[in-house]
Amino acid sequence: MEQLNHENHKGQFGSRFGFMMAAIGSAVGLGNLWGFPYKMGANGGFAFLLLYLVLVVFVGFVIMLTELALGRKTGKGVVGAYESLSKKYAFIGWMEAIAPWLILSFYSMLGGYCIKYALSNLGDLFGASWGIGGMDSGEFFGEFTTNMVQTVIFSLIFVILTVIIVRGGVSGGIEKFSAVAMPALFILLVIVIIRSVTLPGASEGLAFMFKPDWSAFEGTGWIKVLSVAGGQMFFSLSLGMAIMIAYGSYLPKDQNLENSALVIPFADTLVAIMAGLATMPAVFASGFQPGQGPGLLFITLQTVFNSMGGFGPLFGFFFYSLVFIAAITSSIALLEGIAAVAMDKAIEKGKKPNRKKIVTILGISIAITASLVSLDGLGANGFPQFFGQSTWLDAIDLIAEGILMPLGACYCAIVIPTSWVNEEATLNGAQFRTKTFYDFCIKFIAPVMMVMVLLGQMDSFFGLGMFS
Ligand code: PHE
């Protein structure tokens, strides 16, 4: 791919497979594993899935295509990309650049939790003293999350790993890692699914997830379902967040954009459904009630592994390793999204960007914020809380996922000229088969949906109950 290596010195994806793995890796994250299965089950089951798919096609696909096109056309990270359109849009770029930085602070903490849990299950497998040792999962979780030294250390390990990969560059670090990690994640997921769906009583979990419940749509219920599905889709596809723009800017011009914008959401949704097959049957088979978030991942599921007998720790190790992979392929994307902005700034000043130095400095800033969020111990350590939330994670998530992301994507749908997207989608004589569909959705459906997502997020974060 040497001949494609462009003037910007930031790097480029070397193969289509590598790009797809990196982009799918950014999309597949904690959102798929701890959010989607529960949201689907609690909001209409199969009916939710249908609506979700409609949203993915009408909104996810079009915003994904727009962001990839914007990145590739300008060759810039999010701030430079919006600036290329007009100086007055720089603020959209900055908004989208702050969000990943915020998200990294709690994503790193959670990534650290995954490392701790993978190691603890491994410890149990060998009967080591650093395992869980039959301790109650809730107690184990509480003890760990309030152990400030340990949580900070594990968060820092996660940040350091993220920094090492991103320092390696686009093809030498991100792509190389994702091309191995994502297939590994897939295999681990299949192994855990096979165990989960063959447990006695697993069918109840399948019914929870898949049984269509149209009553969820009754009255104004459909608005709530729509906003839950919209918010989930949006976070899960890593949209409105600098990432797909940066990744698009590293994509060689001979790659078909339309195709990528279809495959990434498809793969992301597939993994989300598979995550449900891996978790929900096991939860129900063990007689627990499903939930979402850290409680599902680190308490309920650990209890499930504890109750599996001899092979429990092995499946626990597999499971937390796969969650770790999902988290780190998202965190490297988040870091690259902001690193691209800093590299652009250096280039603007006429300098050759020093990737390693930029990534290290950003990494240090994230190490600080991640340590702070870890100290909060998910609200258990008695620190003051903000914006009516019960943990620092939630407060930061409110700003990033609740406000900055949907606003960013809404602006993206409104300000990016469709001619730019058309130009990128038809390079090298490619046919833009969905052009009419795209033009319609980006003008009418996506902006309306984004506003609904924004309202829905506000509603759920502040518990207003507007849509219930
Ligand atoms: N898509 C990731 C997930 O589902 C989260 C994420 C959001 C990653 C935004 C990068 C950017 O967990």
Side-chain angles (χ1 to χ4, degrees), residues 26-27 29-32 107 235-236 238 241 243 330 334 405:
S26 110
L30 295 171
N32 302 57
Y107 228 80
F235 183 76
S236 192
S238 313
M241 264 275 224
I243 287 160
S330 293
L334 289 159
M405 285 179 80

